[in-house]
Amino acid sequence: MYLIPRLIGLFVYVITLGIFYLIICKIDKKDLGKVLFLYTIVLSIIAYNFVPAVGNDLYRLLIAMHSYTQESISQIITTLKTSSTPITVLYFYIIGKFSKDGLLAAVTAFIFYNNVFYIFKKTAIKYSISSKNIALALLFFMSTGSYMEVISGIRTMLGISIVAVCFYKEEIEQKSIVLNIVWYIVAALIHPVALATVIIRFLLLIYQSLKIKNMISFFILFILCTGIFILGKNYINLMSEKAINYVTTENRHWYLWEFLIGCIDMFIIFIIQIKFLKNKNYTTHDSKMIRYFSFIKVINIIILISSIIEYNTFHRFAIFSSILINPILMILLNSKNENKKIYNIVFLSSIIMLFIACSRGNLCSLKFFE
């Protein structure tokens, strides 16, 4: 169904990815930010013109967005108070008021890729990553087909991208977590999966504070967590119930080809982790990278467990892991000892994932007309 529209949509996506891959291979790093921003704009334009099929999440979410825009201010305030995801309600309400359905996917794509490409850009500068290796890391991430999750699923990808960029700023750039508290709250109130990543982040942070016997950091975190719990207790309870129901529900979706893409993605991520652990320059001397690496290990344990019991959790956390792994992948690619071998493995796996995503994965739903 819709063969020609889908072929055109896939052609646009793949050609765009190929063009920006080649551009990044050739550019000077000082221009990387501009090129990635231009790519973000292009991806947002593609998202704006995406026409969802009846079975796509976006089709259902647009109906929800239309219903929110019909409510009065007092009604929307009541909805915000009673909803387990008030930020999503507010997000839909504001975008819906512009009466342009394409904006929901476009704005989400713009925010998501701005967050993800921030990590790319800052890592490239901080660790002097070569242009060729930056381009390959981009190809690897974009070949997973997660683009459809971004522009159709909307909420989960929006939330986890916020958590990922906050975590990167705190661990790699050593910025205070206090600056990101509001963003963590926003992410947690977007979707249960984002809430789960926020909880994991704070639990790990508390554990690390105790481990290094930094009691001042521990007490600050304890006070912050207590304050957030007291102020947002009702929302946290609602989100927790929704998260538990989300994982334990009997009506579970499972799609073989996306599961296969996720397995290939995670297999490569595990190889990256193993190779990186052998790189003593970072695992021995770079405490920031050790803490960053610890969070990814926790996420990957969850992915392994969920691969057996719950597809949706596996699928979304795998995408989250593929965002987080990019700095480590780029550093590893830049290593003289591992460069050629890892480069070939990642490149080949990227082509395989992209082929599956375009031929049988969710990405093949991308179309601009019917």
Side-chain angles (χ1 to χ4, degrees):
M1 188 179 291
Y2 308 122
L3 179 61
I4 299 302
R6 288 184 174 188
L7 288 175
I8 292 172
L10 291 171
F11 177 80
V12 170
Y13 181 84
V14 173
I15 290 298
T16 301
L17 173 57
I19 289 171
F20 278 94
Y21 169 79
L22 293 173
I23 291 173
I24 293 173
C25 279
K26 302 294 183 182
I27 63 168
D28 191 290
K29 280 196 293 292
K30 65 178 175 34
D31 296 319
L32 178 62
K34 296 174 184 176
V35 173
L36 288 176
F37 182 75
L38 179 59
Y39 190 28
T40 300
I41 296 296
V42 173
L43 289 170
S44 301
I45 292 171
I46 293 173
Y48 181 84
N49 290 284
F50 169 52
V51 176
V54 175
N56 288 127
D57 286 341
L58 183 60
Y59 185 89
R60 175 175 50 82
L61 294 176
L62 286 173
I63 294 174
M65 184 178 76
H66 295 158
S67 68
Y68 290 138
T69 57
Q70 300 302 314
E71 295 184 5
S72 64
I73 296 295
S74 60
Q75 288 176 319
I76 205 68
I77 290 173
T78 301
T79 303
L80 289 171
K81 289 179 179 179
T82 57
S83 173
S84 62
T85 55
I87 297 299
T88 295
V89 174
L90 185 62
Y91 184 68
F92 283 10
Y93 179 77
I94 293 172
I95 292 177
K97 282 299 182 181
F98 288 91
S99 300
K100 297 289 183 180
D101 286 355
L103 283 176
L104 182 59
V107 173
T108 302
F110 184 81
I111 296 171
F112 178 87
Y113 288 105
N114 256 321
N115 288 337
V116 172
F117 292 161
Y118 176 92
I119 296 173
F120 273 83
K121 179 179 66 177
K122 293 296 184 178
T123 301
I125 294 170
K126 183 176 180 64
Y127 294 97
S128 301
I129 309 299
S130 71
S131 297
K132 185 176 76 169
N133 292 334
I134 299 167
L136 181 58
L138 177 71
L139 177 65
F140 178 71
F141 179 71
M142 298 304 294
S143 293
T144 62
S146 57
Y147 183 68
M148 280 305 298
E149 287 290 335
V150 176
I151 67 172
S152 184
I154 304 292
R155 303 160 300 164
T156 308
M157 297 298 107
L158 191 62
I160 65 174
S161 74
I162 294 171
V163 176
V165 78
C166 287
F167 176 67
Y168 179 87
K169 288 178 179 180
E170 291 153 18
E171 295 299 348
I172 305 301
E173 297 181 351
Q174 295 290 282
K175 293 182 179 179
S176 173
I177 192 172
V178 176
L179 300 174
N180 290 326
I181 290 298
V182 172
W183 289 116
Y184 279 123
I185 294 171
V186 168
L189 297 178
I190 289 176
H191 193 272
V193 172
L195 170 65
T197 61
V198 171
I199 291 172
I200 295 166
R201 166 62 182 143
F202 275 86
L203 288 175
L204 182 63
L205 197 58
I206 291 171
Y207 169 75
Q208 289 171 335
S209 296
L210 285 171
K211 191 175 181 180
I212 61 176
K213 298 180 180 179
N214 188 341
M215 295 310 294
I216 295 176
S217 297
F218 171 73
F219 281 119
I220 291 173
L221 281 170
F222 180 77
I223 291 169
L224 283 172
C225 292
T226 302
I228 291 170
F229 180 79
I230 292 172
L231 293 173
K233 183 178 179 181
N234 291 335
Y235 287 126
I236 292 171
N237 288 338
L238 284 169
M239 285 289 282
S240 298
E241 289 173 8
K242 192 171 182 178
I244 292 169
N245 182 63
Y246 180 81
V247 172
T248 59
T249 181
E250 293 299 322
N251 185 23
R252 295 173 181 172
H253 168 70
W254 191 84
Y255 187 47
L256 172 63
W257 298 104
E258 282 295 324
F259 183 75
L260 179 59
I261 293 170
C263 288
I264 296 171
D265 183 29
M266 291 310 304
F267 178 71
I268 300 304
I269 287 175
F270 289 138
I271 290 176
I272 293 167
Q273 287 181 298
I274 292 168
K275 293 291 185 181
F276 188 78
L277 283 172
K278 295 179 180 179
N279 193 326
K280 301 301 181 184
N281 291 331
Y282 294 103
T283 54
T284 303
H285 304 294
D286 194 335
S287 60
K288 299 188 294 293
M289 194 54 70
I290 293 170
R291 288 166 65 92
Y292 187 87
F293 194 78
S294 297
F295 187 51
I296 299 176
K297 286 195 293 184
V298 173
I299 295 301
N300 288 347
I301 289 170
I302 294 172
I303 292 169
L304 276 175
I305 295 170
S306 62
S307 67
I308 302 170
I309 61 174
E310 214 284 311
Y311 166 78
N312 283 319
T313 303
F314 164 81
H315 181 59
R316 286 154 183 180
F317 271 78
I319 295 173
F320 186 47
S321 183
S322 68
I323 297 172
L324 295 173
I325 203 67
N326 281 304
I328 292 174
L329 171 58
M330 284 191 273
I331 291 168
L332 192 60
L333 288 170
N334 240 39
S335 170
K336 292 180 181 179
N337 296 330
E338 300 288 352
N339 186 294
K340 188 174 182 181
K341 187 186 295 183
I342 291 296
Y343 190 97
N344 291 336
I345 291 172
V346 173
F347 183 82
L348 179 60
S349 63
S350 298
I351 298 303
I352 293 171
M353 287 192 297
L354 184 60
F355 176 78
I356 297 172
C358 290
S359 60
R360 301 303 298 267
N362 291 336
L363 192 60
C364 67
S365 296
L366 181 64
K367 65 185 190 306
F368 308 125
F369 61 93
E370 295 182 344

